[in-house]
Amino acid sequence: MTVGGIFVAGSLHYDIVVDAPALPSKDETVMGGPMRFVCGGKGGNQAVAASRHGADVAFGGMVGQDQFGGALLEHLRQAGVDSSRVSRTGKASSGASVAIVDAAGDYGAVVASGANQLINADRLAIPEGTRYLVLQNEIAEKANRSVAKLAHSAGAKIVLNAAPWRPVDPELMKIVDILIVNRVEAEGLLQCATPSVDQVLSALDKMPPHANCTVVTLGADGLVFSKGGNRPSHIAPFDVTALSTHGAGDVFVGAMCAELLRESPMRDALTYASAAAALHVSTPVEQRLSIDANQTLSFMGQAHRRA
């Protein structure tokens, strides 16, 4: 049984996802298909993932007065996420993105932020009992900083998934408890191109801590984390065949927060989140919406870990 809940403040996008044999190069047109329409945005994805993994979740953000906005709100409601703190505006369209998934399951995306950039975080009321605030970099940094201060004052822990990468405001970083980046974003954080496990371990060991806990996810190489000034540690990945990595990072963040809410130690929460992400990438897209905590625990009991 969990006590308290998670408040996600962030982005909502209506995603157009296209399968293609490869990501296009500059000036190249690639013939692809099929095409799918998916309710997403890093904030929305993380909120839905946390809810499906058993957490009490509320969401704060903004959508337009358009068909996409209605679909995004309905998606949150169907996932059990409290959407009462999502505003609607006629000044901009709802956020959207176009993602291309290649034959290997890797992807690239372009985002049109729309209404997400109009979020006024000063007007976001932190739900009573919030234990974790989850932020990403798909909304304005000013909004992140404002809502983080409100949540910090209310006693919540601040989780920042610094994606897509941008230099983090020092004022915000002072109150971030858990910082999460993937391999691409780690290039900006660690000033290291395409970092390996050993390079991340070395970099985190040498540099001053950015937060109480820093997590660098490395896809098929697992993850590295450093907590409370201790030496960085590697967690091996689950051995799966990826069908598509689209959304895996958001599943990781949501599942991790849900497990932390159950009072799991950080290493256990990160292992659980790694399992959730591995199950996500290895499950056919049309079956992913049914993945929950029970399926993840079953997967953990059966799956093999890489050395």
Side-chain angles (χ1 to χ4, degrees):
M1 180 178 179
T2 62
V3 178
I6 295 169
F7 183 44
V8 181
S11 56
L12 292 169
H13 299 144
Y14 193 78
D15 296 338
I16 301 171
V17 183
V18 182
D19 291 334
L23 300 181
S25 301
K26 183 178 179 179
D27 295 330
E28 181 185 14
T29 298
V30 175
M31 301 300 292
M35 180 170 63
R36 302 183 301 278
F37 300 94
V38 181
C39 291
K42 290 186 180 298
N45 288 342
Q46 292 171 15
V48 168
S51 179
R52 290 196 175 120
H53 285 273
D56 180 10
V57 184
F59 189 89
M62 183 172 286
V63 296
Q65 295 282 4
D66 50 29
Q67 185 176 358
F68 286 179
L72 290 164
L73 290 172
E74 181 59 25
H75 178 65
L76 291 177
R77 285 191 286 266
Q78 289 185 3
V81 176
D82 176 2
S83 61
S84 61
R85 291 170 177 79
V86 179
S87 303
R88 303 195 73 167
T89 179
K91 296 181 179 179
S93 61
S94 296
S97 77
V98 177
I100 301 173
V101 181
D102 69 16
D106 295 321
Y107 79 99
V110 177
V111 171
S113 295
N116 291 293
Q117 293 302 312
L118 301 182
I119 294 172
N120 187 342
D122 294 332
R123 298 182 181 179
L124 286 178
I126 306 298
E128 186 175 354
T130 294
R131 290 177 55 200
Y132 289 92
L133 168 70
V134 183
L135 302 170
Q136 321 79 36
N137 282 347
E138 287 186 336
I139 64 174
E141 189 164 58
K142 179 181 178 181
N144 272 349
R145 184 173 62 245
S146 178
V147 71
K149 287 181 177 179
L150 292 173
H152 181 70
S153 297
K157 293 186 179 298
I158 314 301
V159 178
L160 173 62
N161 176 211
W165 173 254
R166 66 187 177 207
V168 183
D169 183 331
E171 189 177 355
L172 171 61
M173 187 54 72
K174 287 179 182 178
I175 56 175
V176 169
D177 295 282
I178 303 172
L179 175 67
I180 305 170
V181 295
N182 67 13
R183 177 176 262 128
V184 173
E185 294 134 17
E187 293 182 19
L189 177 70
L190 306 177
Q191 298 297 302
C192 177
T194 57
S196 66
V197 170
D198 288 341
Q199 287 173 319
V200 174
L201 286 167
S202 177
L204 289 182
D205 193 35
K206 293 176 180 177
M207 67 194 314
H210 287 78
N212 182 51
C213 181
T214 299
V215 180
V216 180
T217 61
L218 298 168
D221 292 324
L223 65 90
V224 172
F225 79 103
S226 177
K227 182 177 186 297
N230 295 323
R231 294 290 297 273
S233 179
H234 177 241
I235 295 180
F238 288 84
D239 192 5
V240 298
T241 299
L243 301 178
S244 168
T245 61
H246 188 227
D250 297 331
V251 168
F252 179 92
V253 173
M256 180 203 73
C257 291
E259 192 65 12
L260 288 173
L261 204 61
R262 290 188 278 267
E263 306 289 354
S264 290
M266 178 58 71
R267 174 176 281 274
D268 292 349
L270 292 174
T271 300
Y272 176 87
S274 180
L279 183 57
H280 174 85
V281 303
S282 60
T283 298
V285 173
E286 62 274 10
Q287 299 175 25
R288 290 178 177 179
L289 295 181
S290 65
I291 296 175
D292 58 14
N294 289 332
Q295 288 190 34
T296 301
L297 290 171
S298 177
F299 170 79
M300 291 178 70
Q302 301 173 19
H304 297 286
R305 301 281 291 281
R306 295 179 184 175

